[in-house]
């Protein structure tokens, strides 16, 4: 399928690893001019080089923390006018006892997973409106719809994010700017590996991969029967970044192997 985005300028904020990188690769495959950002420079630069060599396109790495004002300024300066914008930001680590979640932890969660994406969208939406076309895809989390007691630092702020995008997407769709959210379930990514220890901590487990995955799968039924890979999400992200998605507005698409059990 031709995604019809060859030559468009695409920014994947959070594009050096996991689902962000997989999405960046699908966009690269479709021939965009690509910008990817992340906080850690070495991995980011390596990802940019690998993607550029693999798909023979220009890839510009931008070292920037999307959760801070100065980081976002760096992003906006390096990529002022994308047609396509993907955003993903790592939330704070899984929490333990909910009674020990402090206001400071809530502020951190809101700064990163809610204000980060909102401020990036608020900056780029007028740019896209002026061009008369744009696509925005947030890679958030299915815990926005599927509350989990150990994911208080991720789910609630993302519930607010999808509430925000539900309104804003309907406000800007008539200008050719479509915003949608992808809500992933459990994916085996670099980010998941980094969360093993905090997850083990939260449940008083040994911090080893087998123990943690066994505990997770025993407590979370995934009808598909496996943990996903980053590219189980990326094709859907790329489709939402294309003109082919012109009638898809303000949607929240859960990609979780059927784990979240609901009609909508
Ligand atoms: N993996 C799962 O099972 C799972 C489940 C539910 C929801 N999610 C959500 O899905 C999203 C992607 O997860 P993932 O597992 O693909 O993560 P990942 O493997 O850690 O990749 C995240 C990417 O975003 C970058 N990034 C993170 N925070 C950033 C920030 N503040 N500013 C700029 N770049 C940032 C990372 O690079 P740097 O770290 O160098 O910045 C990396 O390139 C996250 O929002 C996560 O909460 C994941």
């Amino acid at each position: 399928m031709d995604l019809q985005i060859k030559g468009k300028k695409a920014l994947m904020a959070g594009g050096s690893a996991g689902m962000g990188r997989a999405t960046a690769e699908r966009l690269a495959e479709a021939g965009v001019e690509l910008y990817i950002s992340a906080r850690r420079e070495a991995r980011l630069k390596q990802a940019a080089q690998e993607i550029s060599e693999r798909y023979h396109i220009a890839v510009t790495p931008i070292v920037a923390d999307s959760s801070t004002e100065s980081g976002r300024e760096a992003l906006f300066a390096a990529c002022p006018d994308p047609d396509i914008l993907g955003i993903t930001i790592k939330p704070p680590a899984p929490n333990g006892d909910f009674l020990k979640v402090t206001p400071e932890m809530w502020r951190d969660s809101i700064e990163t997973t809610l204000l980060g994406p909102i401020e990036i969208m608020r900056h780029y939406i007028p740019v896209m409106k002026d061009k008369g076309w744009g696509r925005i895809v947030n890679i958030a989390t299915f815990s926005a719809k599927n509350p989990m007691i150990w994911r208080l630092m991720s789910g609630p702020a993302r519930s607010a994010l999808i509430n925000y995008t539900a309104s804003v997407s309907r406000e800007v769709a008539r200008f050719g700017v479509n915003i949608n959210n992808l809500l992933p379930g459990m994916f085996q990514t670099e980010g998941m590996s980094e969360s093993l220890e905090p997850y083990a901590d939260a449940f008083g487990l040994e911090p080893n991969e087998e123990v943690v995955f066994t505990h997770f799968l025993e407590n979370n039924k995934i009808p598909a029967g496996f943990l996903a890979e980053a590219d189980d999400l990326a094709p859907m992200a790329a489709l939402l970044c294309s003109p082919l998605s012109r009638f898809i507005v303000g949607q929240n698409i859960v990609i979780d192997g059927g784990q979240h059990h609901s009609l909508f």
Side-chain angles (χ1 to χ4, degrees):
M1 180 165 57
D2 177 7
L3 288 178
Q4 303 168 15
I5 53 175
K6 193 171 166 47
K8 288 202 182 290
K9 210 176 272 186
L11 167 60
M12 182 63 233
S16 68
M19 290 173 257
R21 169 155 178 177
T23 298
E25 295 223 18
R26 287 290 180 170
L27 296 173
E29 188 182 35
V32 299
E33 177 189 340
L34 186 64
Y35 293 75
I36 58 174
S37 70
R39 294 163 300 178
R40 283 171 276 185
E41 186 168 6
R43 184 172 70 172
L44 172 70
K45 286 195 165 157
Q46 190 178 337
Q49 190 181 338
E50 285 170 7
I51 297 172
S52 174
E53 284 171 8
R54 189 167 304 151
Y55 299 101
H56 311 291
I57 58 150
V59 184
T60 306
I62 309 166
V63 179
D65 183 342
S66 301
S67 70
T68 66
E69 212 177 313
S70 59
R72 290 188 291 269
E73 287 305 326
L75 199 63
F76 304 153
C79 182
D81 56 352
D83 305 293
I84 292 167
L85 169 65
I87 309 173
T88 194
I89 297 185
K90 194 180 174 69
N95 55 282
D97 181 353
F98 75 95
L99 291 174
K100 296 193 174 135
V101 174
T102 62
E104 193 44 50
M105 291 163 74
W106 280 112
R107 280 187 205 102
D108 184 19
S109 167
I110 289 166
E111 280 288 335
T112 53
T113 48
L114 179 61
L115 293 182
I118 285 180
E119 285 301 287
I120 295 172
M121 287 189 280
R122 198 164 70 90
H123 179 85
Y124 284 125
I125 285 171
V127 175
M128 292 178 173
K129 252 175 86 175
D130 282 351
K131 293 189 189 199
W133 194 89
R135 292 288 182 269
I136 300 177
V137 176
N138 285 294
I139 303 174
T141 175
F142 84 138
S143 57
K145 284 182 69 164
N146 183 64
M148 296 167 120
I149 190 68
W150 57 282
R151 230 38 200 120
L152 292 174
M153 296 295 92
S154 173
R158 261 82 170 266
S159 298
L161 178 66
I162 69 174
N163 188 309
Y164 173 89
T165 54
S167 297
V168 172
S169 60
R170 286 162 176 94
E171 195 58 28
V172 300
R174 66 182 180 283
F175 303 106
V177 180
N178 287 12
I179 310 174
N180 291 287
N181 302 314
L182 292 177
L183 308 182
M186 301 323 291
F187 280 65
Q188 276 186 291
T189 60
E190 292 89 329
M192 180 187 257
S193 304
E194 289 168 357
S195 294
L196 285 181
E197 219 172 293
Y199 180 95
D201 245 17
F203 288 96
L205 305 169
E206 242 185 84
N208 105 31
E209 200 166 287
E210 203 186 320
V211 172
V212 167
F213 285 169
T214 305
H215 180 272
F216 183 83
L217 290 169
E218 279 170 358
N219 289 282
N220 297 273
K221 187 170 175 312
I222 302 177
F226 60 93
L227 299 174
E229 317 240 318
D231 200 47
D232 288 311
L233 173 139
M236 180 64 83
L239 179 70
L240 293 175
C241 290
S242 80
L244 305 179
S245 66
R246 66 183 187 153
F247 211 49
I248 306 177
V249 172
Q251 297 304 299
N252 298 302
I253 300 171
V254 176
I255 303 182
D256 69 346
Q259 186 179 343
H260 174 62
H261 198 127
S262 77
L263 289 178
F264 304 106

